[in-house]
């Protein structure tokens, strides 16, 4: 097997999604920490690897892949002993893909980045109420996705769970997940956190992000 190198910062939800995929597959790899706050992704060396200057970035035998969704799908397709994490069945895969697009286009962009970008870029600590409403809508959708299922795309663990667990738990820093209203989400989070590789691949990074975000004295406007 060719040498794999993952570039990232552990507080990043997408980086942890890729790390969960690698851990689930049992693939050895080198992890290179990138300080995004110090703008290391803008260095000429990194830009040659990834002109979009994002993490995670995966290096596989001199080839570079970025975007956690693309990385996870690639890893399962190339190195998975089975297709369980990213099914080859077209209908099952379509459901997984829909959840991945939901995470990237709705949960991450509209939910998480919509809140965190103003925090980091301009120090805007008063978050518009519509951002709160957007998070609640996201929770409502995820609760619906989990109706009748243990996992986000059906009855088996997939890379969609890895993408969504990292971003949904990050949103919970800003908007608590009501364990009564969102009982299915609460049970799902616990189910994922009990995976034997979760703590090493994701747990510490998740706590690092919580610590970082709570340094901002943020409030929602009314």
């Amino acid at each position: 097997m060719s040498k794999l190198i993952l570039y990232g910062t552990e507080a990043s939800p997408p980086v942890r999604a890729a790390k969960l995929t690698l851990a689930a597959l049992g693939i050895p790899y080198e992890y290179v920490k990138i300080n995004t706050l110090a703008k290391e992704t803008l260095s000429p060396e990194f830009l040659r690897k990834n002109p979009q200057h994002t993490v995670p970035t995966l290096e596989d035998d001199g080839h570079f892949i970025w975007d956690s969704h693309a990385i996870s799908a690639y890893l399962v397709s190339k190195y998975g002993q089975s297709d369980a994490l990213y099914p080859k069945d077209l209908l099952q895969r379509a459901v997984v893909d829909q959840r991945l697009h939901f995470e990237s286009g709705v949960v991450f962009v509209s939910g998480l980045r919509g809140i965190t970008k103003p925090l980091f870029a301009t120090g805007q600590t008063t978050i518009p109420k519509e951002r709160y409403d957007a998070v609640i809508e996201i929770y409502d959708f995820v609760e619906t996705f989990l109706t009748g299922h243990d996992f986000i795309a059906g009855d088996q663990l997939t890379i969609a769970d890895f993408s969504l667990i990292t971003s949904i738990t990050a949103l919970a820093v800003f908007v608590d997940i009501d364990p009564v209203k969102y009982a299915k989400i609460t049970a799902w989070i616990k189910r994922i956190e009990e995976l034997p590789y979760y703590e090493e691949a994701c747990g510490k990074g998740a706590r690092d992000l919580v610590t970082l975000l709570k340094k901002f004295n943020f409030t929602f406007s009314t």
Side-chain angles (χ1 to χ4, degrees):
M1 187 176 76
S2 56
K3 181 180 180 181
L4 293 175
I5 304 173
L6 185 71
Y7 300 87
T9 178
E10 291 193 54
S12 161
V15 171
R16 287 184 277 116
K19 290 187 73 174
L20 281 166
T21 302
L22 285 158
L25 294 170
I27 302 174
Y29 66 98
E30 178 184 350
Y31 181 61
V32 177
K33 293 183 179 180
I34 300 294
N35 188 338
T36 55
L37 296 178
K39 301 187 184 303
E40 289 182 358
T41 54
L42 297 177
S43 70
E45 181 184 3
F46 193 86
L47 288 171
R48 283 193 292 271
K49 297 178 175 68
N50 175 356
Q52 280 190 271
H53 50 84
T54 56
V55 291
T57 294
L58 180 73
E59 180 176 353
D60 186 359
D61 196 25
H63 300 282
F64 298 95
I65 304 166
W66 55 92
D67 184 281
S68 60
H69 313 85
I71 289 170
S72 293
Y74 170 80
L75 288 169
V76 177
S77 298
K78 183 172 182 180
Y79 296 109
Q81 294 183 359
S82 76
D83 68 338
L85 288 171
Y86 192 47
K88 292 179 181 178
D89 177 89
L90 293 180
L91 183 58
Q92 293 177 1
R93 176 166 289 198
V95 176
V96 174
D97 286 340
Q98 184 277 323
R99 303 298 195 257
L100 292 173
H101 289 300
F102 170 76
E103 194 281 331
S104 64
V106 178
V107 180
F108 194 80
V109 173
S110 178
L112 193 55
R113 182 175 288 173
I115 295 173
T116 58
K117 187 174 182 179
L119 279 178
F120 288 112
T122 62
Q124 179 182 326
T125 56
T126 300
I127 304 168
K129 184 179 181 298
E130 55 262 30
R131 294 297 96 215
Y132 176 92
D133 295 338
V135 175
I136 292 299
E137 184 178 49
I138 287 166
Y139 290 169
D140 289 341
F141 280 129
V142 174
E143 186 76 3
T144 300
F145 295 160
L146 288 165
T147 299
H149 304 290
D150 285 342
F151 298 102
I152 207 71
D155 296 322
Q156 68 181 31
L157 180 73
T158 68
I159 58 174
D161 292 284
F162 297 155
S163 284
L164 278 158
I165 192 68
T166 61
S167 53
I168 292 296
T169 52
L171 285 177
V173 177
F174 300 100
V175 181
D176 289 337
I177 298 173
D178 184 329
V180 176
K181 182 179 179 181
Y182 301 114
K184 297 179 184 65
I185 295 178
T186 302
W188 168 72
I189 291 173
K190 183 179 180 182
R191 195 172 296 120
I192 302 300
E193 289 178 343
E194 289 175 346
L195 292 169
Y197 46 80
Y198 177 86
E199 177 58 30
E200 182 176 354
C202 188
K204 181 183 180 301
R207 291 190 295 274
D208 288 346
L209 181 62
V210 170
T211 300
L212 177 63
L213 294 176
K214 285 191 172 180
K215 289 181 179 178
F216 296 93
N217 188 23
F218 58 82
T219 58
F220 284 96
S221 61
T222 57

